[in-house]
Amino acid sequence: MTYCLGIINRFGIVMGADSRTNAGVDYISAYRKLFDFSVSGERVIMVCTSGNLSISQGVIHELKRDLHNQEDKSLHSLNHLYDIAHYIGDKSRQVQARERTWLEKDNIDFQCNFILGGQIKGEEPQLFLIYPQGNHIQATKETPFLQIGETKYGKPILDRTITYDTPLEEMAKCALLSIDSTMKSNISVGPPIYLSMYEANSLSLRHKLQLRLGDPYLAKMRKLWEDYVRQAFEAMPNVEWHYTDEDPKEDIIID
């Protein structure tokens, strides 16, 4: 399992991912899940992956091979990010179809998801979630973040914090807190953490970060967040109980 997210608003895009992959409690390894296919000054393209590792790696390999072979259809030849989302979806279906029969024989989940974010010159920044079936949805002003993988633990802070007007640096901090909260509650998510921050209309991915296990900033951020959450909890007023003089009636069970 893994956890990846993408956040978009008027100021740009933030994308982040952990790197942990496990096939049981005694076999844990790290693989990169956030990839940069940008061409400075022309297009910024970031891709996150989750799900079956062999399938997602196969899709990334196909994307890179099309670039190397200068195919007519590739991440660098398509002129709309919407078309690139379709293209990645097609590649995902092809790789799944090729491997599906053998994986299904051993009851192995072969599906994977992708988050695509970036901007092509002449268009607005965009963010897409691409499903295993190859179709996709797009983030909107009302729903400015997308998640894949182990999503539930990192969602509450995004729901309470992110808006279409949140400053980009604040979005980056929120993304890291979302990933850290997931790591705190689920051992299948872990470092290194990869984070990218793209400033809208710059057409250059200048801000990239890798945080390894024990990174001082990550440790400081976690401690501050836990301290402030505990302070907020302790400052909450006590529950206002409704007292009554009547004895509680026990439920009568009739067989």
Side-chain angles (χ1 to χ4, degrees):
M1 186 56 77
T2 192
Y3 176 47
C4 308
L5 77 162
I7 313 171
I8 186 171
N9 69 7
R10 67 171 72 252
F11 301 112
I13 299 173
V14 171
M15 292 180 65
D18 82 312
S19 304
R20 179 163 292 176
T21 298
N22 66 297
V25 295
D26 58 348
Y27 189 78
I28 297 174
S29 53
Y31 290 90
R32 186 172 186 139
K33 308 291 182 63
L34 174 57
F35 302 89
D36 175 22
F37 295 98
S38 302
V39 178
S40 185
E42 179 189 334
R43 61 185 63 202
V44 167
I45 298 174
M46 298 172 283
V47 178
C48 283
T49 72
S50 76
N52 184 287
L53 184 62
S54 67
I55 300 296
S56 62
Q57 284 189 340
V59 174
I60 295 298
H61 176 78
E62 294 284 344
L63 300 179
K64 291 180 177 179
R65 186 164 64 178
D66 284 354
L67 288 173
H68 181 267
N69 294 338
Q70 297 183 340
E71 298 288 347
D72 291 338
K73 184 181 288 188
S74 74
L75 295 175
H76 293 171
S77 64
L78 294 167
N79 293 322
H80 303 284
L81 213 63
Y82 180 87
D83 294 335
I84 290 178
H86 269 297
Y87 164 69
I88 295 175
D90 288 341
K91 289 294 184 182
S92 180
R93 280 195 296 261
Q94 292 168 16
V95 176
Q96 289 181 70
R98 186 176 66 212
E99 307 293 343
R100 177 174 185 166
T101 300
W102 301 102
L103 293 174
E104 282 186 331
K105 287 179 63 177
D106 291 322
N107 297 315
I108 297 175
D109 184 1
F110 57 87
Q111 295 187 332
C112 57
N113 297 273
F114 300 86
I115 294 178
L116 165 69
Q119 183 178 18
I120 294 177
K121 191 173 183 178
E123 293 190 325
E124 295 296 317
Q126 297 172 77
L127 185 69
F128 295 91
L129 190 160
I130 304 166
Y131 293 107
Q133 295 77 13
N135 59 322
H136 57 78
I137 61 172
Q138 183 175 357
T140 65
K141 182 177 180 179
E142 294 74 26
T143 309
F145 65 86
L146 298 171
Q147 303 167 282
I148 54 177
E150 190 58 75
T151 62
K152 56 184 176 290
Y153 302 107
K155 188 174 185 294
I157 185 174
L158 299 174
D159 286 332
R160 291 177 179 273
T161 307
I162 295 300
T163 72
Y164 195 66
D165 298 305
T166 302
L168 206 51
E169 288 285 356
E170 300 296 312
M171 281 186 9
K173 287 191 292 185
C174 187
L176 282 176
L177 282 171
S178 180
I179 295 173
D180 183 70
S181 297
T182 305
M183 291 194 299
K184 179 74 173 178
S185 299
N186 192 312
I187 62 171
S188 69
V189 176
I193 296 171
Y194 291 88
L195 191 73
S196 295
M197 184 177 75
Y198 169 65
E199 297 173 294
N201 303 315
S202 67
L203 294 176
S204 179
L205 191 57
R206 303 187 185 98
H207 300 87
K208 294 191 284 187
L209 180 66
Q210 179 184 354
L211 298 174
R212 297 188 176 276
L213 180 65
D215 184 275
Y217 175 77
L218 197 59
K220 180 180 180 181
M221 182 190 68
R222 172 176 286 188
K223 185 179 186 306
L224 283 172
W225 182 247
E226 290 178 348
D227 288 346
Y228 289 140
V229 169
R230 190 175 297 110
Q231 290 174 24
F233 169 74
E234 292 171 352
M236 293 288 290
N238 290 335
V239 177
E240 297 181 359
W241 298 104
H242 294 168
Y243 294 99
T244 177
D245 293 332
E246 298 179 3
D247 293 331
K249 300 292 190 300
E250 292 185 356
D251 292 337
I252 300 176
I253 302 176
I254 301 176
D255 294 332

Short mmCIF file of all heavy atoms in Angstrom, two decimals, residues 8 13 41-45 75 78-85 116-128 138 198-203:
data_model
loop_
_atom_site.label_atom_id
_atom_site.label_comp_id
_atom_site.label_asym_id
_atom_site.label_seq_id
_atom_site.Cartn_x
_atom_site.Cartn_y
_atom_site.Cartn_z
N ILE A 8 -4.60 21.26 -5.90
CA ILE A 8 -4.52 22.34 -6.90
C ILE A 8 -5.39 23.51 -6.45
O ILE A 8 -6.45 23.32 -5.86
CB ILE A 8 -4.97 21.82 -8.29
CG1 ILE A 8 -4.74 22.90 -9.36
CG2 ILE A 8 -6.42 21.36 -8.28
CD1 ILE A 8 -4.95 22.38 -10.79
N ILE A 13 0.10 23.84 -7.92
CA ILE A 13 -0.15 22.43 -7.62
C ILE A 13 0.92 21.92 -6.66
O ILE A 13 2.10 22.24 -6.79
CB ILE A 13 -0.11 21.57 -8.90
CG1 ILE A 13 -1.20 22.02 -9.88
CG2 ILE A 13 -0.26 20.09 -8.59
CD1 ILE A 13 -1.12 21.32 -11.23
N GLY A 41 9.72 25.38 -19.53
CA GLY A 41 9.30 26.40 -20.47
C GLY A 41 8.19 25.96 -21.41
O GLY A 41 7.57 26.80 -22.08
N GLU A 42 7.90 24.67 -21.46
CA GLU A 42 6.87 24.14 -22.36
C GLU A 42 5.74 23.44 -21.63
O GLU A 42 4.57 23.70 -21.88
CB GLU A 42 7.48 23.17 -23.36
CG GLU A 42 6.46 22.56 -24.32
CD GLU A 42 7.05 21.45 -25.15
OE1 GLU A 42 8.29 21.45 -25.36
OE2 GLU A 42 6.30 20.56 -25.59
N ARG A 43 6.10 22.56 -20.69
CA ARG A 43 5.08 21.81 -19.96
C ARG A 43 5.65 21.26 -18.66
O ARG A 43 6.84 20.93 -18.57
CB ARG A 43 4.53 20.66 -20.80
CG ARG A 43 5.55 19.62 -21.23
CD ARG A 43 4.92 18.59 -22.15
NE ARG A 43 4.45 19.21 -23.39
CZ ARG A 43 3.52 18.69 -24.18
NH1 ARG A 43 2.96 17.53 -23.87
NH2 ARG A 43 3.16 19.31 -25.29
N VAL A 44 4.79 21.18 -17.66
CA VAL A 44 5.12 20.52 -16.40
C VAL A 44 4.17 19.34 -16.27
O VAL A 44 2.95 19.49 -16.35
CB VAL A 44 4.97 21.47 -15.20
CG1 VAL A 44 5.00 20.70 -13.88
CG2 VAL A 44 6.06 22.52 -15.23
N ILE A 45 4.74 18.15 -16.10
CA ILE A 45 3.95 16.92 -15.99
C ILE A 45 4.47 16.11 -14.81
O ILE A 45 5.64 15.69 -14.80
CB ILE A 45 4.01 16.08 -17.27
CG1 ILE A 45 3.44 16.87 -18.44
CG2 ILE A 45 3.26 14.76 -17.09
CD1 ILE A 45 3.59 16.16 -19.78
N LEU A 75 3.94 11.73 -23.72
CA LEU A 75 3.74 12.79 -22.74
C LEU A 75 4.20 14.15 -23.25
O LEU A 75 3.75 15.19 -22.77
CB LEU A 75 4.50 12.46 -21.45
CG LEU A 75 4.03 11.22 -20.67
CD1 LEU A 75 4.97 10.96 -19.50
CD2 LEU A 75 2.60 11.38 -20.20
N LEU A 78 1.53 15.25 -26.94
CA LEU A 78 0.12 15.61 -26.79
C LEU A 78 0.00 17.04 -26.29
O LEU A 78 0.76 17.46 -25.41
CB LEU A 78 -0.57 14.64 -25.84
CG LEU A 78 -0.67 13.19 -26.36
CD1 LEU A 78 -1.06 12.24 -25.24
CD2 LEU A 78 -1.66 13.11 -27.52
N ASN A 79 -0.97 17.77 -26.82
CA ASN A 79 -1.05 19.21 -26.57
C ASN A 79 -2.03 19.61 -25.48
O ASN A 79 -2.20 20.80 -25.22
CB ASN A 79 -1.41 19.94 -27.86
CG ASN A 79 -0.30 19.85 -28.90
OD1 ASN A 79 0.89 19.90 -28.55
ND2 ASN A 79 -0.67 19.67 -30.16
N HIS A 80 -2.70 18.63 -24.87
CA HIS A 80 -3.66 18.93 -23.81
C HIS A 80 -3.48 17.93 -22.67
O HIS A 80 -3.33 16.72 -22.93
CB HIS A 80 -5.10 18.89 -24.33
CG HIS A 80 -5.35 19.81 -25.48
ND1 HIS A 80 -5.50 21.18 -25.34
CD2 HIS A 80 -5.44 19.56 -26.82
CE1 HIS A 80 -5.69 21.73 -26.53
NE2 HIS A 80 -5.67 20.77 -27.43
N LEU A 81 -3.51 18.41 -21.44
CA LEU A 81 -3.34 17.52 -20.30
C LEU A 81 -4.49 16.50 -20.24
O LEU A 81 -4.30 15.36 -19.79
CB LEU A 81 -3.27 18.33 -19.00
CG LEU A 81 -2.36 17.74 -17.92
CD1 LEU A 81 -0.92 17.69 -18.38
CD2 LEU A 81 -2.46 18.54 -16.63
N TYR A 82 -5.67 16.90 -20.67
CA TYR A 82 -6.81 15.98 -20.74
C TYR A 82 -6.48 14.79 -21.64
O TYR A 82 -6.79 13.64 -21.30
CB TYR A 82 -8.03 16.73 -21.26
CG TYR A 82 -9.29 15.90 -21.37
CD1 TYR A 82 -10.14 15.76 -20.27
CD2 TYR A 82 -9.64 15.27 -22.56
CE1 TYR A 82 -11.30 15.00 -20.37
CE2 TYR A 82 -10.79 14.51 -22.66
CZ TYR A 82 -11.62 14.39 -21.56
OH TYR A 82 -12.76 13.62 -21.66
N ASP A 83 -5.85 15.05 -22.77
CA ASP A 83 -5.46 13.96 -23.68
C ASP A 83 -4.38 13.09 -23.05
O ASP A 83 -4.35 11.86 -23.29
CB ASP A 83 -4.96 14.54 -25.01
CG ASP A 83 -6.06 15.24 -25.78
OD1 ASP A 83 -7.25 14.91 -25.58
OD2 ASP A 83 -5.73 16.14 -26.59
N ILE A 84 -3.49 13.69 -22.27
CA ILE A 84 -2.46 12.91 -21.60
C ILE A 84 -3.08 11.98 -20.56
O ILE A 84 -2.65 10.83 -20.39
CB ILE A 84 -1.41 13.84 -20.96
CG1 ILE A 84 -0.58 14.53 -22.05
CG2 ILE A 84 -0.51 13.08 -20.00
CD1 ILE A 84 0.46 15.50 -21.54
N ALA A 85 -4.12 12.46 -19.87
CA ALA A 85 -4.83 11.60 -18.91
C ALA A 85 -5.42 10.39 -19.63
O ALA A 85 -5.34 9.26 -19.13
CB ALA A 85 -5.92 12.39 -18.19
N LEU A 116 -2.33 12.60 -12.13
CA LEU A 116 -1.60 13.40 -13.13
C LEU A 116 -1.83 14.87 -12.83
O LEU A 116 -2.98 15.32 -12.73
CB LEU A 116 -2.10 13.06 -14.54
CG LEU A 116 -1.72 14.03 -15.66
CD1 LEU A 116 -0.22 13.97 -15.94
CD2 LEU A 116 -2.52 13.74 -16.93
N GLY A 117 -0.75 15.62 -12.69
CA GLY A 117 -0.87 17.05 -12.45
C GLY A 117 0.14 17.83 -13.25
O GLY A 117 1.22 17.32 -13.58
N GLY A 118 -0.22 19.06 -13.59
CA GLY A 118 0.74 19.91 -14.30
C GLY A 118 0.07 20.96 -15.15
O GLY A 118 -1.09 21.31 -14.95
N GLN A 119 0.82 21.45 -16.12
CA GLN A 119 0.32 22.51 -17.00
C GLN A 119 1.08 22.45 -18.32
O GLN A 119 2.30 22.27 -18.35
CB GLN A 119 0.52 23.88 -16.35
CG GLN A 119 -0.03 25.04 -17.16
CD GLN A 119 0.14 26.38 -16.44
OE1 GLN A 119 0.94 26.52 -15.53
NE2 GLN A 119 -0.64 27.37 -16.87
N ILE A 120 0.33 22.60 -19.40
CA ILE A 120 0.91 22.72 -20.73
C ILE A 120 0.74 24.16 -21.19
O ILE A 120 -0.30 24.78 -20.95
CB ILE A 120 0.23 21.74 -21.72
CG1 ILE A 120 0.55 20.30 -21.31
CG2 ILE A 120 0.71 21.99 -23.15
CD1 ILE A 120 -0.12 19.26 -22.17
N LYS A 121 1.74 24.71 -21.82
CA LYS A 121 1.72 26.11 -22.27
C LYS A 121 0.45 26.40 -23.05
O LYS A 121 0.09 25.66 -23.98
CB LYS A 121 2.94 26.41 -23.12
CG LYS A 121 3.15 27.87 -23.42
CD LYS A 121 4.48 28.09 -24.13
CE LYS A 121 4.76 29.57 -24.37
NZ LYS A 121 6.07 29.79 -25.02
N GLY A 122 -0.26 27.45 -22.67
CA GLY A 122 -1.51 27.81 -23.32
C GLY A 122 -2.74 27.32 -22.59
O GLY A 122 -3.87 27.71 -22.93
N GLU A 123 -2.54 26.44 -21.57
CA GLU A 123 -3.65 25.94 -20.78
C GLU A 123 -3.49 26.33 -19.31
O GLU A 123 -2.43 26.79 -18.90
CB GLU A 123 -3.72 24.40 -20.86
CG GLU A 123 -4.09 23.86 -22.22
CD GLU A 123 -4.39 22.37 -22.14
OE1 GLU A 123 -3.73 21.66 -21.33
OE2 GLU A 123 -5.25 21.92 -22.89
N GLU A 124 -4.55 26.14 -18.54
CA GLU A 124 -4.49 26.33 -17.10
C GLU A 124 -3.91 25.08 -16.44
O GLU A 124 -3.95 23.99 -17.00
CB GLU A 124 -5.90 26.60 -16.55
CG GLU A 124 -6.54 27.90 -17.03
CD GLU A 124 -5.77 29.12 -16.56
OE1 GLU A 124 -5.35 29.13 -15.38
OE2 GLU A 124 -5.57 30.05 -17.37
N PRO A 125 -3.35 25.21 -15.24
CA PRO A 125 -2.93 24.02 -14.49
C PRO A 125 -4.12 23.09 -14.27
O PRO A 125 -5.24 23.56 -14.05
CB PRO A 125 -2.40 24.59 -13.17
CG PRO A 125 -2.04 26.00 -13.48
CD PRO A 125 -3.03 26.46 -14.51
N GLN A 126 -3.87 21.79 -14.28
CA GLN A 126 -4.93 20.81 -14.12
C GLN A 126 -4.44 19.63 -13.30
O GLN A 126 -3.24 19.35 -13.26
CB GLN A 126 -5.43 20.33 -15.48
CG GLN A 126 -6.06 21.42 -16.33
CD GLN A 126 -6.35 20.94 -17.74
OE1 GLN A 126 -7.31 20.21 -17.98
NE2 GLN A 126 -5.50 21.32 -18.68
N LEU A 127 -5.40 18.92 -12.70
CA LEU A 127 -5.09 17.77 -11.86
C LEU A 127 -6.13 16.69 -12.12
O LEU A 127 -7.33 16.95 -12.05
CB LEU A 127 -5.11 18.19 -10.38
CG LEU A 127 -4.69 17.16 -9.34
CD1 LEU A 127 -3.19 16.86 -9.44
CD2 LEU A 127 -5.02 17.67 -7.93
N PHE A 128 -5.67 15.45 -12.41
CA PHE A 128 -6.56 14.35 -12.75
C PHE A 128 -6.25 13.12 -11.90
O PHE A 128 -5.10 12.86 -11.54
CB PHE A 128 -6.39 13.95 -14.23
CG PHE A 128 -6.79 15.00 -15.21
CD1 PHE A 128 -5.85 15.92 -15.68
CD2 PHE A 128 -8.09 15.07 -15.69
CE1 PHE A 128 -6.21 16.88 -16.60
CE2 PHE A 128 -8.45 16.03 -16.62
CZ PHE A 128 -7.52 16.95 -17.08
N GLN A 138 -11.41 14.99 -12.84
CA GLN A 138 -10.55 16.16 -12.71
C GLN A 138 -10.87 16.90 -11.42
O GLN A 138 -12.05 17.04 -11.04
CB GLN A 138 -10.73 17.09 -13.90
CG GLN A 138 -9.82 18.31 -13.89
CD GLN A 138 -9.96 19.14 -15.16
OE1 GLN A 138 -10.69 18.77 -16.08
NE2 GLN A 138 -9.24 20.25 -15.22
N TYR A 198 4.47 23.23 -7.64
CA TYR A 198 4.53 23.92 -8.93
C TYR A 198 3.78 25.24 -8.84
O TYR A 198 2.61 25.28 -8.47
CB TYR A 198 3.94 23.06 -10.03
CG TYR A 198 3.74 23.81 -11.33
CD1 TYR A 198 4.83 24.31 -12.04
CD2 TYR A 198 2.46 24.07 -11.83
CE1 TYR A 198 4.66 25.03 -13.20
CE2 TYR A 198 2.28 24.78 -13.00
CZ TYR A 198 3.38 25.27 -13.68
OH TYR A 198 3.21 26.00 -14.84
N GLU A 199 4.44 26.33 -9.21
CA GLU A 199 3.82 27.65 -9.25
C GLU A 199 3.12 27.84 -10.59
O GLU A 199 3.74 27.71 -11.66
CB GLU A 199 4.88 28.73 -9.06
CG GLU A 199 5.58 28.67 -7.72
CD GLU A 199 6.74 29.64 -7.62
OE1 GLU A 199 7.73 29.45 -8.35
OE2 GLU A 199 6.66 30.59 -6.82
N ALA A 200 1.84 28.16 -10.55
CA ALA A 200 1.04 28.28 -11.77
C ALA A 200 1.68 29.24 -12.77
O ALA A 200 2.19 30.31 -12.40
CB ALA A 200 -0.37 28.76 -11.41
N ASN A 201 1.67 28.82 -14.04
CA ASN A 201 2.13 29.60 -15.19
C ASN A 201 3.64 29.80 -15.23
O ASN A 201 4.14 30.51 -16.12
CB ASN A 201 1.43 30.98 -15.23
CG ASN A 201 -0.07 30.85 -15.28
OD1 ASN A 201 -0.60 30.04 -16.04
ND2 ASN A 201 -0.77 31.61 -14.45
N SER A 202 4.39 29.17 -14.33
CA SER A 202 5.85 29.29 -14.39
C SER A 202 6.44 28.33 -15.41
O SER A 202 7.54 28.55 -15.91
CB SER A 202 6.46 29.01 -13.01
OG SER A 202 6.27 27.66 -12.63
N LEU A 203 5.71 27.24 -15.70
CA LEU A 203 6.15 26.20 -16.64
C LEU A 203 7.54 25.66 -16.30
O LEU A 203 8.31 25.29 -17.17
CB LEU A 203 6.11 26.73 -18.08
CG LEU A 203 4.72 27.05 -18.61
CD1 LEU A 203 4.80 27.66 -20.00
CD2 LEU A 203 3.85 25.79 -18.65
#
